[in-house]
């Protein structure tokens, strides 16, 4: 559908919603424009996951919160806080973790300057709501073209009951959460949160997970009513990462629901982390200006055995600040708001090491003429460190400035205009003694000493407008753009990578009434020099600029109160994402993929839910999601069928200070793949999704 017809299509699709009805107080966004604003008034697609949804679904992992939002793909292959996260195609290139998407917690960026995000130190049991902005151009996004995920935690200033929650389930699931909050005096407040989780995932090899988290918050209200809120947290997370499967092994998994003794070389991948985090935010009004400076620091270490090598980094520091101000003023004789600020963030890693695997099973292979022999790695036997393979020091510096003006021309017509510019600098020095060679499946001599010194200027901006068609319904339109720089690891493999440029055109309708809420968006996103991951025949990931990609889509979300007790809803996303120009390297030759669909992104994705809540405390909720078929490779030679109606169920009873509930995810115990891929030589790889998981939880508030 061409964008010039989009406004008429939106009105036609929603004509029945434009009748005058009683307007209700809708959900508010506190992050999309850095000032509190009704979601209907925001000139972009935004989704809010509220506290009740988080509690009813007993959400412990970020993907469980996001997987029913249209346009968002959140899949975990490890049943842990380690999802693959994609928003409108951005994030697809990530080999692990999350790329191209900005993740923030209470305004503090969790995403590294080169766009990598770790979810290890997010305690979802301290999160009160989640906001998702889709597409490039957000004032919050730095080096992120996919959008922004903002986690809002429970403020120390908010009145809340103390609570203790305990849960147990199959596969030795255990969960304990303690929340204490109180006033020290009329100006001082403190809270403490402790969480401990454990799961064996005994249905497959090497997938145990446990985490311990503690957070202390302190807040003070000054005599001039300015406030400061400080947070200190500690996380220790231990996660074993399961191996992928071949086609035959996946067929066996679909029959049995078990994954044991796979043929994958790397049987002992893991990510063990320890993280200390400190942040402080201050807020003070001086006349029409509100100052909101934030300062943050974290220190982290991890032990991360992956394909070929074991990463061991124990001296990593992150320093940063965001100096924000809000200026209330008049424009066109109406209230307006100017938001601006400066950001600075530095990541510094000293003496990060990589090791060979010590305990391995090998075989000797002879080939060629004259014959030559090589000792290949068949399988790892443990993740004990062997010979030192490389060392590296790195520093990544990012600094920038942003401005946004929000104003109304009439009572019905409003505008948001924003821009930001950031400078990203990489300074990396290392010594590669040996490396793992994917072709020979053995360790070989490395390149020796190396250095990477690169910098990128990143520009982003947005022009958006909203218009109130009725008291209930707003139409919006926006054009937004942003750059995405390559990561340090990508530059290490291809120093010629260029930054990508994403331009997004979008129109939409948002309706809010006393019983009904809906969001409809149509977008077209053009990306030049998109950084694409290519898998060769040996499992190696190669990165290249794809030329041009064209992403067109439609997203729709609806929630309707049938009665005071029954609520139903659903979400749908149509994604037509194609390479416009892209030449893929195959055996040293360039092969055109022009016009092909991007892999892993289904054309159709939808979810449905129904919730039933009685005044006597009984409650239940059913959610089902479907993920359509998608191509497994850039060549579009094969499709994976996806999955249909994976159903999650909750039933519970809440009375006074007591709450007991049973959550069952994947109720009908379907066996399917969370990810299916195919390399350039036709080798298929599958990652299993989690079978049925059941947890009984009891919460007492006091």
């Amino acid at each position: 559908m061409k964008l010039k017809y989009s406004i008429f299509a939106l009105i036609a699709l929603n004509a029945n919603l434009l009748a005058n009805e009683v307007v209700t107080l809708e959900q508010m966004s506190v992050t999309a424009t850095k000032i509190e604003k009704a979601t209907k008034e925001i000139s972009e697609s935004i989704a809010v996951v509220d506290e009740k949804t988080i509690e009813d679904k007993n959400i412990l992992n970020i993907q469980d919160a996001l997987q029913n939002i249209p346009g968002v793909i959140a899949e975990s292959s490890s049943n842990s806080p380690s999802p693959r996260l994609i928003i409108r195609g951005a994030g697809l290139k990530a080999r692990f973790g999350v790329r191209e998407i900005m993740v923030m917690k209470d305004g503090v960026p969790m995403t590294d300057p080169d766009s990598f995000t770790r979810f290890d130190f997010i305690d979802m049991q301290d999160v009160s709501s989640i906001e998702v902005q889709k597409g490039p151009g957000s004032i919050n996004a730095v080096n992120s073209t996919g959008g922004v995920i903002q986690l809002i935690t429970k403020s120390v200033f908010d009145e809340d009951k103390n609570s203790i929650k305990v849960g147990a389930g199959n596969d030795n699931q255990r969960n304990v959460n303690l929340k204490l909050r109180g006033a020290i005096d009329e100006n001082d407040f403190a809270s403490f949160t402790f969480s401990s989780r454990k799961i064996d995932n005994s249905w497959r090899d090497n997938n145990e997970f446990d985490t311990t988290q503690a957070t202390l918050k302190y807040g003070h209200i000054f005599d001039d009513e300015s406030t400061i809120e400080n947070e200190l947290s500690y996380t220790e997370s231990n996660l074993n990462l399961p191996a992928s499967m071949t086609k035959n092994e996946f067929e066996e998994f679909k029959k049995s629901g078990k994954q044991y003794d796979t043929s994958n070389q790397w049987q002992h991948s893991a990510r063990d982390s320890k993280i200390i985090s400190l942040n402080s935010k201050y807020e003070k009004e001086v006349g029409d200006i509100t100052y909101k400076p934030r300062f943050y620091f974290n220190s982290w270490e991890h032990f991360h055995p992956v394909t070929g090598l074991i990463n061991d980094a124990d001296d990593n520091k992150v320093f940063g600040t965001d100096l924000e101000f809000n200026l209330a003023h008049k424009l066109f004789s109406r209230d307006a708001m100017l938001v601006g600020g400066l950001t600075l963030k530095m990541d510094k890693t000293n003496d990060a090491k990589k090791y060979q695997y010590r305990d391995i099973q090998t075989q000797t292979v002879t080939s060629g003429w004259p014959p030559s022999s090589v000792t290949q790695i068949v399988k790892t036997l443990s993740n004990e460190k062997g010979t030192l393979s490389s060392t590296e020091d790195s520093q990544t510096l990012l600094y920038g400035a942003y401005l946004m003006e929000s104003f109304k021309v009439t009572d019905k017509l409003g505008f948001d205009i924003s821009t930001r510019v950031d400078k990203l600098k990489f300074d990396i020095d290392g010594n590669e003694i040996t490396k793992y060679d994917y072709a020979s499946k053995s360790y070989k001599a490395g390149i020796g000493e190396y250095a990477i010194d690169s910098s990128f200027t990143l520009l982003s901006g947005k022009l958006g407008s909203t218009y109130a068609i009725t008291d209930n319904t707003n139409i919006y339109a926006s054009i937004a753009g942003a750059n995405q720089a390559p990561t340090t690891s990508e530059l290490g493999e291809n120093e010629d990578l260029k930054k990508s440029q994403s331009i997004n055109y979008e129109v939409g309708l948002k309706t809010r009434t006393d019983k009904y809420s809906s969001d409809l968006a149509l977008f077209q996103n053009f990306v030049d020099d998109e950084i694409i991951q290519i898998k060769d025949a040996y499992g190696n990931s190669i990165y290249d600029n794809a030329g041009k990609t064209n992403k067109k889509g439609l997203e729709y979300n609806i929630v309707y109160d049938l009665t005071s007790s029954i609520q139903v809803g659903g979400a749908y996303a149509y994604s037509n994402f194609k390479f416009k120009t892209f030449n893929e390297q195959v055996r040293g030759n360039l092969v055109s993929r022009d016009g092909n669909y991007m892999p892993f992104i289904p054309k159709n994705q939808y979810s449905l839910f129904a919730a039933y809540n009685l005044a006597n405390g009984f409650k239940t909720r059913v959610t089902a999601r479907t993920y359509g078929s998608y191509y497994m490779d850039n060549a579009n030679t094969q499709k994976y069928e996806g999955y249909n109606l994976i159903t999650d169920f909750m039933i519970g009873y809440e009375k006074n200070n007591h709450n007991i509930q049973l959550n069952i995810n994947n109720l009908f115990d379907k066996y399917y793949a969370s990810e299916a891929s195919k390399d350039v030589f036709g080798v298929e790889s599958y990652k299993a999704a989690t079978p049925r998981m059941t947890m009984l939880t009891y919460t007492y508030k006091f």
Side-chain angles (χ1 to χ4, degrees):
M1 182 180 294
K2 295 183 178 179
L3 283 175
K4 67 180 181 180
Y5 301 124
S6 296
I7 294 177
F8 302 105
L10 288 169
I11 295 174
L13 286 168
N14 285 268
N16 61 320
L17 306 179
L18 304 183
N20 290 324
E21 301 179 37
V22 178
V23 178
T24 188
L25 182 64
E26 67 146 320
Q27 288 179 320
M28 304 293 289
S29 167
V30 296
T31 67
T33 55
K34 286 187 176 287
I35 52 176
E36 187 174 69
K37 201 170 186 180
T39 56
K40 189 177 68 171
E41 302 290 333
I42 296 172
S43 58
E44 64 182 300
S45 180
I46 182 169
V48 179
V49 183
D50 60 24
E51 187 169 5
K52 179 170 175 51
T53 300
I54 293 173
E55 291 180 354
D56 283 354
K57 297 183 69 176
N58 194 29
I59 290 173
L60 303 176
N61 299 323
I62 186 70
Q63 63 269 14
D64 296 333
L66 304 179
Q67 60 191 3
N68 296 318
I69 296 175
V72 178
I73 297 172
E75 294 282 352
S76 173
S77 60
S78 60
N79 195 25
S80 71
S82 181
R84 186 177 196 187
L85 192 58
I86 299 170
I87 299 179
R88 293 183 176 177
L92 180 63
K93 69 172 183 173
R95 187 161 30 183
F96 58 87
V98 176
R99 300 281 188 183
E100 302 179 283
I101 297 167
M102 188 76 182
V103 181
M104 309 179 77
K105 187 179 78 168
D106 298 327
V108 174
M110 296 173 53
T111 299
D112 294 341
D114 74 343
S115 87
F116 179 69
T117 301
R118 295 176 299 274
F119 281 103
D120 306 65
F121 63 103
I122 290 298
D123 184 0
M124 284 300 302
Q125 298 178 96
D126 188 42
V127 174
S128 60
S129 66
I130 303 172
E131 298 183 16
V132 180
Q133 301 165 244
K134 306 171 193 173
S138 168
I139 192 175
N140 293 301
V142 181
N143 192 27
S144 302
T145 56
V148 179
I149 295 174
Q150 179 80 253
L151 306 164
I152 312 299
T153 67
K154 299 171 184 177
S155 172
V156 70
F157 295 119
D158 294 340
E159 290 190 16
D160 194 10
K161 289 186 176 181
N162 300 324
S163 65
I164 183 168
K165 179 166 69 173
V166 293
N170 64 327
D171 277 302
N172 199 29
Q173 290 184 84
R174 298 291 185 271
N175 178 56
V176 176
N177 173 254
L178 173 67
K179 171 68 182 294
L180 301 174
R181 184 265 180 196
I184 301 172
D185 55 40
E186 63 180 8
N187 291 328
D188 297 278
F189 303 85
S191 69
F192 174 74
T193 304
F194 173 83
S195 296
S196 177
R197 294 178 55 207
K198 181 183 186 298
I199 183 171
D200 287 348
N201 287 316
S202 57
W203 55 276
R204 63 179 165 189
D205 293 328
N206 196 58
N207 194 201
E208 299 84 2
F209 166 70
D210 68 80
T211 182
T212 301
Q213 298 171 293
T215 301
L216 179 65
K217 296 180 181 180
Y218 167 74
H220 178 75
I221 302 175
F222 295 93
D223 292 339
D224 61 359
E225 297 186 352
S226 61
T227 62
I228 188 169
E229 188 169 2
N230 306 292
E231 177 184 307
L232 174 65
S233 66
Y234 172 79
T235 297
E236 182 172 346
S237 174
N238 302 293
L239 168 63
N240 287 335
L241 297 169
S244 59
M245 297 177 288
T246 64
K247 180 179 180 180
N248 289 337
E249 289 166 348
F250 178 59
E251 292 300 322
E252 179 58 34
F253 166 75
K254 289 196 293 184
K255 297 175 185 176
S256 66
K258 308 293 184 183
Q259 183 186 329
Y260 299 128
D261 301 320
T262 63
S263 59
N264 191 283
Q265 285 176 278
W266 313 106
Q267 295 288 324
H268 298 87
S269 295
R271 186 171 67 249
D272 301 338
S273 304
K274 293 180 181 179
I275 305 164
I276 297 175
S277 176
L278 173 67
N279 69 73
S280 181
K281 52 185 180 180
Y282 178 72
E283 187 168 331
K284 178 181 176 62
E285 290 187 19
V286 180
D288 293 329
I289 303 178
T290 302
Y291 295 98
K292 298 181 178 180
R294 300 178 181 89
F295 304 92
Y296 53 92
F297 164 81
N298 70 67
S299 174
W300 60 274
E301 60 182 81
H302 76 186
F303 176 74
H304 193 17
V306 293
T307 300
L309 295 167
I310 296 173
N311 298 281
D312 191 8
D314 59 6
D315 187 3
N316 309 276
K317 304 289 190 297
V318 179
F319 311 85
T321 184
D322 185 277
L323 306 177
E324 178 190 338
F325 71 88
N326 301 165
L327 172 62
H329 62 287
K330 295 288 186 179
L331 194 62
F332 300 105
S333 301
R334 298 174 184 275
D335 292 336
M337 182 68 72
L338 175 67
V339 176
L342 302 172
T343 60
L344 172 68
K345 185 174 185 179
M346 183 177 72
D347 289 17
K348 189 173 180 61
T349 295
N350 296 316
D351 199 26
K353 296 181 175 67
K354 293 182 180 180
Y355 295 87
Q356 298 179 11
Y357 281 84
R358 188 190 72 182
D359 302 325
I360 53 177
Q361 178 184 338
T362 63
Q363 66 180 8
T364 301
V365 176
T366 302
S367 62
W369 187 262
S372 62
S373 298
V374 63
T375 301
Q376 294 184 341
I377 298 173
V378 176
K379 185 175 290 190
T380 59
L381 303 176
S382 78
N383 57 19
E384 292 295 326
K385 295 183 294 187
T387 304
L388 180 67
S389 180
S390 68
T391 60
E392 184 177 275
D393 297 323
S394 66
Q395 179 175 294
T396 307
L397 179 66
L398 186 143
Y399 55 91
Y402 57 87
L403 283 172
M404 181 185 68
E405 178 75 20
S406 294
F407 61 94
K408 282 192 171 184
V409 177
T410 69
D411 289 339
K412 294 186 175 184
L413 180 63
F415 289 90
D416 295 318
I417 303 173
S418 66
T419 185
R420 71 175 299 146
V421 57
D422 296 281
K423 189 75 173 182
L424 176 62
K425 294 185 176 182
F426 298 115
D427 185 5
I428 304 169
D429 296 286
N431 182 17
E432 186 182 65
I433 305 165
T434 61
K435 65 179 180 179
Y436 176 73
D437 181 66
Y438 286 84
S440 65
K441 297 184 178 180
S442 64
Y443 293 116
K444 289 193 171 182
I447 61 174
E449 294 185 355
Y450 62 90
I452 299 174
D453 186 5
S454 298
S455 64
F456 298 89
T457 299
L458 307 173
L459 304 174
S460 65
K462 191 191 84 167
L463 171 61
S465 178
T466 62
Y467 182 78
I469 299 174
T470 71
D471 291 340
N472 307 84
T473 301
N474 280 17
I475 190 169
Y476 74 88
S478 68
I479 177 173
N483 294 130
Q484 181 76 56
T487 68
T488 53
S489 60
E490 292 163 2
L491 287 169
E493 296 173 7
N494 183 357
E495 291 190 47
D496 295 327
L497 285 173
K498 297 177 287 186
K499 66 182 180 182
S500 64
Q501 173 67 51
S502 176
I503 302 292
N504 187 69
Y505 301 89
E506 184 170 335
V507 292
L509 276 180
K510 300 180 182 182
T511 299
R512 306 289 186 266
T513 74
D514 59 338
K515 292 185 177 182
Y516 175 90
S517 172
S518 75
D519 293 79
L520 177 63
L522 291 115
F523 66 90
Q524 188 156 12
N525 188 9
F526 298 98
V527 185
D528 288 347
D529 294 319
E530 179 151 9
I531 301 170
I532 297 294
Q533 180 192 119
I534 304 167
K535 282 192 173 183
D536 67 16
Y538 310 110
N540 189 24
S541 293
I542 304 168
Y543 294 92
D544 202 357
N545 291 107
K548 297 179 183 293
T549 57
N550 186 357
K551 305 172 184 177
K552 295 183 289 186
L554 177 149
E555 297 162 357
Y556 184 62
N557 186 80
I558 180 173
V559 177
Y560 183 68
D561 292 339
L562 288 175
T563 70
S564 60
S565 303
I566 301 175
Q567 187 179 70
V568 296
Y572 172 74
Y574 171 79
S575 305
N576 189 326
F577 298 170
K578 288 185 175 183
F579 299 115
K580 187 175 180 181
T581 58
F582 175 35
N583 293 321
E584 184 174 27
Q585 290 191 20
V586 181
R587 294 186 185 273
N589 298 316
L590 294 177
V591 180
S592 174
R593 306 302 190 200
D594 295 1
N596 284 7
Y597 289 96
M598 298 180 70
F600 195 64
I601 309 295
K603 269 194 174 182
N604 299 288
Q605 181 184 3
Y606 66 87
S607 65
L608 303 167
F609 85 91
Y612 183 47
N613 293 270
L614 291 179
N616 64 7
F618 175 80
K619 58 183 179 179
T620 187
R621 183 185 183 99
V622 178
T623 304
R625 64 186 185 277
T626 291
Y627 194 93
S629 63
Y630 58 84
Y631 285 106
M632 297 169 59
D633 59 351
N634 295 327
N636 287 184
T637 60
Q638 184 176 339
K639 279 187 173 182
Y640 176 61
E641 66 269 19
Y643 53 79
N644 292 310
L645 297 176
I646 301 301
T647 303
D648 300 336
F649 173 74
M650 180 277 291
I651 187 169
Y653 182 74
E654 190 170 358
K655 189 70 172 180
N656 298 327
N657 294 327
H658 304 272
N659 178 55
I660 186 168
Q661 67 184 57
L662 175 69
N663 289 84
I664 306 175
N665 293 339
N666 195 356
L667 176 66
F668 301 110
D669 204 18
K670 294 186 177 183
Y671 305 141
Y672 62 100
S674 63
E675 181 181 342
S677 61
K678 186 177 182 181
D679 65 32
V680 294
F681 292 101
V683 178
E684 299 172 30
S685 178
Y686 298 86
K687 295 182 178 180
T690 307
R692 180 166 53 220
M693 302 298 294
T694 302
M695 177 173 280
L696 181 66
T697 303
Y698 169 73
T699 305
Y700 175 66
K701 296 183 178 181
F702 57 96

